[in-house]
Amino acid sequence: MIDNEMSWVDHLGELRKRIIWVLLFFVIALIIGFFFAQPVVEHLKKDPAAAQITWHVFGISDALRIYMQVAFIIAFAVTLPIILYQIWAFVKPGLSDHERRAIGAYLPFSVLLFLVGVAFAYYGIFPMIMKFMLGITESLGAQETYGMTQYFQFMFNLVLPIGLLFELPIIVMFLTTIRVINPFALARYRKYAIFVSVIIASMITPPDLFSHLMAAVPLIILYEASIWLSRMVYRKQKLRDDEIEAGEVEEEFATIEIEDDK
């Protein structure tokens, strides 16, 4: 009992140490990101979706809030590889050699998928939603007056969640590798996943059907891709288990033959 309690204490101590390292790296990245916030904001203001907007601020702290939001996004993007590595290093002792190699190979793709998700949301979904919303405003004969804080907050609330949701295939492959889930369970809960995707899309987009569909459809496609990837991992696991079982049977028969010869 004492050894078991000490083991839990050691695990908690290691987890605390890794969280501290992540937070320390994030704070440093946040400070550095604050100095890069202004050129990033200037670049975003030149985007075609924002070129026709006359910028306004409605509060004294709006400019600082924008810089802090941009710095947070930069810091999170820079810290994401560190977060994923620390998670992998924490669970690594409890994994087999094959699982360690497989999960270690997922890490670069997880960062790549996050960047792809951010790019897809910013260059794909966001301009179409902006064009749709501006068209509705023009149809009312109204004059747009946008605050910078509202514009960038709307952008980040759309781009960052979609970037994170693009991590779903990697998360599913990771959980399949450590045998927490399997493709059969994912397929069985498909209808619930579609419902959750629609709910998430409605939370991160404006309250109209077009915007919901623009965000929900990619999420559903991601889930289907995750099922396919999980099936690939599961098949490899099954083949490897069958090979191991066949090897154990052959070894058992060899042992029996040796005993018979004696």
Side-chain angles (χ1 to χ4, degrees):
M1 179 66 69
I2 295 177
D3 293 339
N4 191 27
E5 291 178 355
M6 288 299 295
S7 176
W8 277 106
V9 170
D10 292 340
H11 284 309
L12 290 175
E14 183 182 359
L15 179 62
R16 182 175 64 88
K17 180 180 68 175
R18 297 191 182 280
I19 292 175
I20 290 174
W21 275 110
V22 169
L23 292 176
L24 180 62
F25 192 91
F26 178 80
V27 170
I28 296 173
L30 185 66
I31 295 172
I32 297 174
F34 187 81
F35 291 99
F36 286 93
Q38 183 174 359
V40 171
V41 171
E42 292 299 325
H43 173 74
L44 295 176
K45 286 170 61 178
K46 296 176 183 178
D47 189 80
Q52 55 183 316
I53 294 177
T54 302
W55 300 102
H56 299 84
V57 293
F58 304 121
I60 296 175
S61 62
D62 280 2
L64 178 61
R65 185 180 304 173
I66 292 170
Y67 284 150
M68 292 304 300
Q69 288 176 343
V70 174
F72 177 86
I73 299 296
I74 295 173
F76 180 80
V78 173
T79 310
L80 181 60
I82 306 300
I83 296 174
L84 296 174
Y85 171 78
Q86 293 296 340
I87 294 174
W88 176 76
F90 180 72
V91 302
K92 179 181 176 181
L95 303 175
S96 64
D97 292 338
H98 172 78
E99 292 171 342
R100 292 177 186 176
R101 291 192 299 268
I103 295 174
Y106 298 159
L107 293 180
F109 292 101
S110 61
V111 177
L112 178 62
L113 276 178
F114 173 75
L115 297 177
V116 170
V118 169
F120 174 74
Y122 180 70
Y123 292 106
I125 298 178
F126 180 68
M128 285 189 283
I129 292 179
M130 284 295 298
K131 183 178 180 180
F132 177 75
M133 301 304 292
L134 289 173
I136 293 178
T137 303
E138 291 178 1
S139 68
L140 293 174
Q143 177 65 40
E144 307 94 344
T145 301
Y146 293 104
M148 290 189 68
T149 301
Q150 289 73 24
Y151 175 84
F152 283 104
Q153 186 171 352
F154 171 72
M155 178 198 299
F156 296 147
N157 287 344
L158 176 70
V159 170
L160 184 59
I162 291 180
L164 292 174
L165 289 169
F166 263 65
E167 297 289 300
L168 180 62
I170 296 297
I171 294 174
V172 168
M173 292 178 69
F174 168 75
L175 295 177
T176 305
T177 300
I178 62 177
R179 303 174 188 270
V180 173
I181 60 175
N182 58 64
F184 308 108
L186 293 173
R188 187 165 58 250
Y189 293 107
R190 178 185 279 110
K191 59 183 178 181
Y192 301 106
I194 294 175
F195 177 75
V196 171
S197 298
V198 174
I199 295 297
I200 294 175
S202 65
M203 293 174 61
I204 64 177
T205 57
D208 62 271
L209 181 62
F210 176 80
S211 301
H212 294 346
L213 291 176
M214 286 298 301
V217 171
L219 299 183
I220 296 172
I221 294 174
L222 276 175
Y223 188 82
E224 294 297 329
S226 300
I227 295 176
W228 180 73
L229 292 171
S230 177
R231 189 174 291 116
M232 288 181 56
V233 175
Y234 182 81
R235 286 174 180 172
K236 291 182 179 179
Q237 285 180 332
K238 190 71 169 58
L239 289 174
R240 189 170 60 256
D241 292 343
D242 291 341
E243 291 175 358
I244 293 173
E245 184 177 353
E248 291 177 351
V249 171
E250 290 178 359
E251 184 178 351
E252 183 177 351
F253 275 119
T255 304
I256 294 174
E257 289 178 356
I258 293 173
E259 290 178 353
D260 290 342
D261 292 340
K262 292 181 179 179

